[in-house]
């Protein structure tokens, strides 16, 4: 802290200079911790991973054994069946867990903000809770839920398939039961998707509720006077005006779902499951880098994933972004 | 005239009754879905109190059992779990405290000052938000190794101090809640720039800062990939990494695992019960503004 000292004291120039200095450079000093840390732990790793992706290197043998191989890592990955499987797995899970999240969240947000008057917050909080809990913890819980013989999901389905009141709807399942959710390749991706939908739909409910809050009440009142019912109001007022938020929420889902790691990692015990049916790109990256110690290849996977995220986000912007961008702010 | 009035009355009544039934149905659906969403947590707590043989039975147990102590002992026999919980608190706590300080400081600078390269620098902050975190994970590991920080808590909390999200959030809060006049008022009173931040800006943005703290703590508490990569000994594991090691054993002791997950989720449940509005607001506001 710089005190202004009465004129006449000999130390005045020094203290004034100090004062000027701290006033002038304060903003730079205030932002410098972030930028120093970001340079070391954010920016440098990004640049270095690009460099690393052009090298063949096993870290056990030391930095000196790094060898420049050009694009070979990328070329190799293009021919690598496991890499492509991880891409298709990731896209499969991204869609199968992404679409239901929004199809569920939009009507829910609508019901919460227009259908009811009380208990809005406790209900929203209930939907949101899985989002803030540890993905590792809830994945372990879902391991027991997905158990083949005694998992509660299969037991519930078994009950529904045989109980007289529900057999007409679920009876078709009887032959398929019990479902080996995590042991059989075709079931792994659906199981992962169920967990992801459960964990993240509440986040989207809150996003959409925030979007709905910006729609003026007058619109609904006007529609009601014109004799529109709830369904008409939903499709003709809510959905069109919610488009910018839908665009935004879907962008977040695309970016997040393409980077899934915790849930598939735990549900498949870190292996990717039988036939690698549950191995996502980030899991493959992790295994390549830290199990097989192919750091260069792992860095190349990271860049290809970023490329994929970029391309898909751009397609999303191109086809759905215009109206979204126009109305935002 | 009369007939139409009667008609109107009927319409209103029907509308009222229909609306009431409709609303009841909506409530029923919403509550049912909420219970379904919460069920895995209930189920986790229930199974944590049962023996393995009861967990694997049909029909499954639906109410709390008596094996809580036994499962807890089994967990502690496998893992130094109290130590793991402490590690998680320590790492998440330090990361949160420093993030709150540095993010509010930088957010203050971006909100209240005009300086050269400000737009470029803030653009860098925003751009860094868009980089998928997994991109740098391999070099990050190498840096940690080079620093000799492998298997230490600071490998996690130290880099986590730089939160672009935090800066962004704090800049928004400060810009919208702190009048610029206060800067000059502070200067006239002879306060240094840091003093203005500390004594004037911080008290004003306390709610926003609390939100940032909650969000950061939750994120660090749940963080899995980074600790998985840089931690290697059981004593240093955070809770998620420790739980992961319970899995894949030939005979996974599910009662013990689930008491572990219960303990992992409990602090978050408590935070959420106390401040659910702030947590939701922080997580959503951050993403919307981002």
């Amino acid at each position: 802290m710089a005190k202004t000292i009465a004129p006449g004291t000999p130390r005045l120039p020094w203290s004034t200079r100090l004062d000027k200095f701290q006033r002038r450079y304060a903003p730079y000093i205030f932002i410098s911790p972030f930028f120093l840390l970001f340079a070391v732990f954010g920016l440098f790793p990004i640049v270095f991973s690009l460099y690393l992706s052009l090298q063949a290197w096993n870290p056990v043998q030391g930095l000196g054994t790094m060898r420049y191989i050009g694009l070979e890592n990328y070329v190799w990955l293009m021919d690598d069946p496991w890499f492509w499987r991880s891409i298709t797995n990731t896209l499969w899970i991204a869609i199968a867990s992404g679409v239901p999240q929004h199809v569920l969240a939009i009507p829910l947000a609508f019901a919460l903000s227009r259908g009811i008057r009380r208990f809005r917050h406790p209900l929203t909080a209930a939907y949101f809770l899985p989002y803030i809990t540890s993905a590792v913890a809830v994945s372990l819980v879902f391991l027991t839920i997905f158990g083949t013989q005694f998992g509660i999901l299969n037991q519930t389905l078994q009950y529904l398939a045989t109980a007289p009141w529900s057999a007409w709807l679920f009876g078709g399942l009887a032959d398929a039961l019990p479902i080996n959710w995590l042991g059989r390749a075709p079931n792994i991706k659906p199981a992962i998707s169920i967990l992801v939908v459960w964990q993240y739909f509440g986040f989207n409910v809150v996003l959409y509720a925030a979007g709905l809050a910006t729609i003026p009440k007058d619109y609904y009142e006007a529609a009601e006077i014109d004799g529109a019912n709830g369904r008409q109001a939903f499709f003709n007022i809510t959905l069109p005006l919610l488009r910018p938020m839908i665009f935004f929420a879907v962008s977040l889902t695309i970016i997040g779902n393409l980077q899934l790691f915790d849930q598939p990692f735990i549900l498949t015990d870190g292996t990717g499951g039988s036939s690698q049916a549950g191995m996502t790109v980030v899991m493959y990256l992790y295994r390549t880098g830290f199990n097989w110690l192919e750091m260069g290849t792992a860095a190349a996977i990271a860049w290809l994933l970023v490329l994929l995220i970029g391309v898909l986000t751009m397609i999303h912007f191109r086809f759905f972004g215009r109206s979204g961008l126009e109305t935002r702010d | 005239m009369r007939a139409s009035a009667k008609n109107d009355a009927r319409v209103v009544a029907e509308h009222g009754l229909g609306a009431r039934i409709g609303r009841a149905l909506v409530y029923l659906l919403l509550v049912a879905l909420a219970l379904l969403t919460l069920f895995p947590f209930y189920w986790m707590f229930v199974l944590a109190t049962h023996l393995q043989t009861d967990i694997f039975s049909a029909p499954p147990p639906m109410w709390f059992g008596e094996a809580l102590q036994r499962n807890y002992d089994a967990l502690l026999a496998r893992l130094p779990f109290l130590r793991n919980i402490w590690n998680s608190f320590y790492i998440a706590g330090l990361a949160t405290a420093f993030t709150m300080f540095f993010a509010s400081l930088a957010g203050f600078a971006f909100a209240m000052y005009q300086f050269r390269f400000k737009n470029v620098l803030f653009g860098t902050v925003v751009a860094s938000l868009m980089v998928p975190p997994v991109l740098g994970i391999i070099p990050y590991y190498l840096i940690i190794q080079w620093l000799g920080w492998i298997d230490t808590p600071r490998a996690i909390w130290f880099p986590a101090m730089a939160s672009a999200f935090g800066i962004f959030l704090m800049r928004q809060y400060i810009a919208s809640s702190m009048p610029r006049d206060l800067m000059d008022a502070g200067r006239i009173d002879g306060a240094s720039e840091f003093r203005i931040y500390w004594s004037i800006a911080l008290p004003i943005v306390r709610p926003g800062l609390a939100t940032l703290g909650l969000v950061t703590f939750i994120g660090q508490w749940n963080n899995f990939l980074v600790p998985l990569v840089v931690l290697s000994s059981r004593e240093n594991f955070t809770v998620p990494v420790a739980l992961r090691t319970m899995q894949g054993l030939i005979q996974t002791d599910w009662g013990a695992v689930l008491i572990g997950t219960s303990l992992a989720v409990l602090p978050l449940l408590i935070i959420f019960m106390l401040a659910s509005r702030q947590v939701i607001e922080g997580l959503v506001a951050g993403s919307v503004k981002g």
Side-chain angles (χ1 to χ4, degrees):
Chain A
M1 183 173 151
K3 282 207 174 89
T4 331
I5 296 159
T9 38
R11 285 172 56 109
L12 173 68
W14 172 232
S15 118
T16 315
R17 236 157 55 204
L18 189 74
D19 193 53
K20 267 195 171 153
F21 175 85
Q22 66 92 12
R23 292 227 189 278
R24 180 152 180 208
Y25 293 103
Y28 296 105
I29 297 167
F30 293 170
I31 64 173
S32 56
F34 169 80
F35 282 95
L36 289 175
L37 285 164
F38 176 67
V40 178
F41 295 103
L43 194 61
F44 173 73
I46 293 170
V47 176
F48 191 67
S49 85
L50 190 60
Y51 171 79
L52 200 57
S53 73
L54 307 174
Q55 314 282 327
W57 183 49
N58 180 325
V60 174
Q61 287 142 12
L63 273 170
T65 60
M66 214 180 265
R67 189 163 51 85
Y68 178 78
I69 54 168
L71 292 174
E72 212 172 284
N73 283 323
Y74 293 94
V75 174
W76 185 83
L77 283 170
M78 289 299 112
D79 278 333
D80 175 22
W82 279 28
F83 174 70
W84 286 111
R85 193 166 305 159
S86 76
I87 295 268
T88 48
N89 286 344
T90 305
L91 292 174
W92 199 107
I93 296 168
I95 294 168
S97 70
V99 174
Q101 278 181 51
H102 296 270
V103 171
L104 193 62
I106 296 172
L108 264 178
F110 183 71
L112 278 173
S113 50
R114 301 224 24 99
I116 61 172
R117 292 196 184 131
R118 302 183 60 200
F119 306 118
R120 266 179 206 158
H121 181 69
L123 286 166
T124 312
Y127 304 142
F128 196 82
L129 183 60
Y131 180 78
I132 64 152
T133 47
S134 154
V136 173
V138 297
S139 300
L140 287 166
V141 175
F142 269 69
L143 271 179
T144 69
I145 290 176
F146 283 130
T148 309
Q149 291 305 324
F150 299 106
I152 194 158
L153 180 58
N154 274 351
Q155 293 205 40
T156 308
L157 290 175
Q158 185 70 46
Y159 169 78
L160 289 173
T162 47
W165 64 275
S166 56
W168 60 275
L169 189 58
F170 291 92
L173 274 173
D175 294 338
L177 290 168
I179 299 170
N180 188 350
W181 286 103
L182 299 166
R184 280 197 63 230
N187 300 333
I188 294 176
K189 284 190 277 287
I192 295 171
S193 304
I194 290 172
L195 168 55
V196 172
V197 171
W198 172 80
Q199 200 174 3
Y200 296 127
F201 85 93
F203 177 76
N204 288 301
V205 170
V206 177
L207 276 188
Y208 288 124
L212 287 173
T214 64
I215 299 176
K217 279 210 163 56
D218 315 2
Y219 292 12
Y220 291 107
E221 277 158 20
E224 209 165 310
I225 289 166
D226 289 347
N229 59 29
R231 191 191 305 152
Q232 285 167 323
F234 177 75
F235 281 104
N236 296 318
I237 300 174
T238 310
L239 269 191
L241 289 174
L242 209 52
R243 263 200 69 168
M245 187 53 95
I246 296 175
F247 168 76
F248 173 71
V250 171
S251 306
L252 286 186
T253 300
I254 292 174
I255 295 168
N257 275 4
L258 291 177
Q259 298 182 68
L260 275 187
F261 175 78
D262 299 7
Q263 296 89 346
F265 187 83
I266 298 295
L267 287 187
T268 65
D269 196 8
T271 64
S274 105
S275 314
Q276 285 73 51
M279 186 168 62
T280 60
V281 177
V282 179
M283 267 183 80
Y284 189 44
L285 186 164
Y286 172 81
R287 301 198 72 194
T288 307
F290 299 104
N291 290 357
W292 306 321
L293 300 172
E294 295 288 347
M295 293 291 181
T297 317
I301 296 173
W303 274 99
L304 288 174
L305 175 63
V306 169
L307 192 72
L308 180 70
I309 294 173
V311 167
L312 289 181
T313 313
M314 229 130 81
I315 292 174
H316 178 56
F317 267 68
R318 180 83 184 67
F319 285 98
F320 304 100
R322 183 171 289 245
S323 64
L325 292 177
E326 270 171 11
T327 355
R328 253 191 99 194
D329 295 335
Chain B
M1 201 50 195
R2 221 180 179 174
S4 102
K6 214 168 135 195
N7 225 5
D8 279 354
R10 214 188 64 215
V11 166
V12 168
E14 252 176 25
H15 192 265
L17 185 66
R20 220 174 287 164
I21 291 173
R23 186 161 292 148
L25 271 176
V26 171
Y27 268 117
L28 198 69
L29 266 170
L30 290 176
V31 170
L33 189 69
L35 292 178
L36 193 67
T37 308
L38 294 178
F39 178 77
F41 295 110
Y42 172 73
W43 181 242
M44 167 180 85
F45 288 125
V46 166
L47 290 194
T49 63
H50 282 279
L51 291 172
Q52 187 89 335
T53 45
D54 298 330
I55 292 173
F56 294 124
S57 62
M62 276 295 162
W63 189 247
F64 297 93
E66 267 125 40
L68 182 66
Q69 185 66 44
R70 184 250 155 227
N71 287 339
Y72 182 69
D73 294 340
L75 175 70
L76 291 194
R78 278 262 161 72
L79 281 170
F81 202 71
L82 296 178
R83 179 69 203 256
N84 301 138
I85 289 179
W86 163 248
N87 292 338
S88 277
F89 267 113
Y90 178 78
I91 290 171
L94 279 177
T96 304
F98 280 115
T99 296
M100 286 165 77
F101 177 54
F102 288 143
S104 59
L105 194 59
F108 172 69
F110 280 124
M112 285 293 141
Y113 292 89
Q114 289 304 326
F115 52 95
R116 274 187 78 184
F117 309 118
K118 175 176 160 177
N119 290 337
V120 178
L121 289 168
F122 191 66
T124 311
V125 174
V126 174
S128 76
L129 274 171
M130 298 178 187
V131 180
V134 75
L135 179 58
I137 189 82
I138 303 275
Y140 172 85
Y141 171 80
L142 298 176
I143 294 169
I144 295 298
Q145 199 176 41
W146 182 75
L147 289 167
W149 289 4
I150 293 289
D151 206 22
T152 66
R154 64 176 167 278
I156 302 160
W157 67 258
F158 193 89
M161 293 189 295
S163 163
F165 160 75
I167 294 180
F168 195 84
L169 197 71
M170 292 320 294
R171 194 202 82 103
Q172 302 292 94
Y173 265 107
I174 295 171
S176 65
S177 60
M178 180 167 167
R180 257 165 208 280
D181 303 348
L182 282 183
M183 299 288 292
D184 295 326
R187 285 183 191 131
I188 290 164
D189 284 350
S192 69
E193 303 300 306
F194 183 79
R195 184 91 211 183
I196 294 173
Y197 154 77
W198 187 259
S199 305
I200 302 175
L202 270 193
I204 292 175
V205 295
R206 198 174 290 157
L209 201 60
T211 305
L212 173 65
L214 290 171
V215 170
T216 310
F217 186 89
I218 292 169
Q220 286 300 320
W221 181 267
N222 293 337
N223 192 355
F224 179 53
L225 183 56
V226 171
L228 179 71
V229 165
V230 298
L231 300 180
S232 54
S233 60
R234 294 178 344 140
E235 288 68 39
N236 292 328
F237 282 164
T238 57
V239 171
V241 185
L243 287 174
R244 152 74 187 140
T245 64
M246 295 282 288
Q247 188 195 2
L249 305 168
I250 297 163
Q251 262 298 5
T252 303
D253 185 341
W254 283 107
V257 171
L258 291 171
I259 190 139
T261 60
S262 304
L263 290 171
V265 169
L266 209 56
L268 302 173
L269 278 180
I270 293 170
I271 291 176
F272 199 58
M273 276 176 190
L274 295 177
S276 59
R277 276 175 212 274
Q278 261 183 313
V279 170
I280 295 175
E281 201 180 287
L283 283 164
V284 172
S287 69
V288 171
K289 285 165 188 162

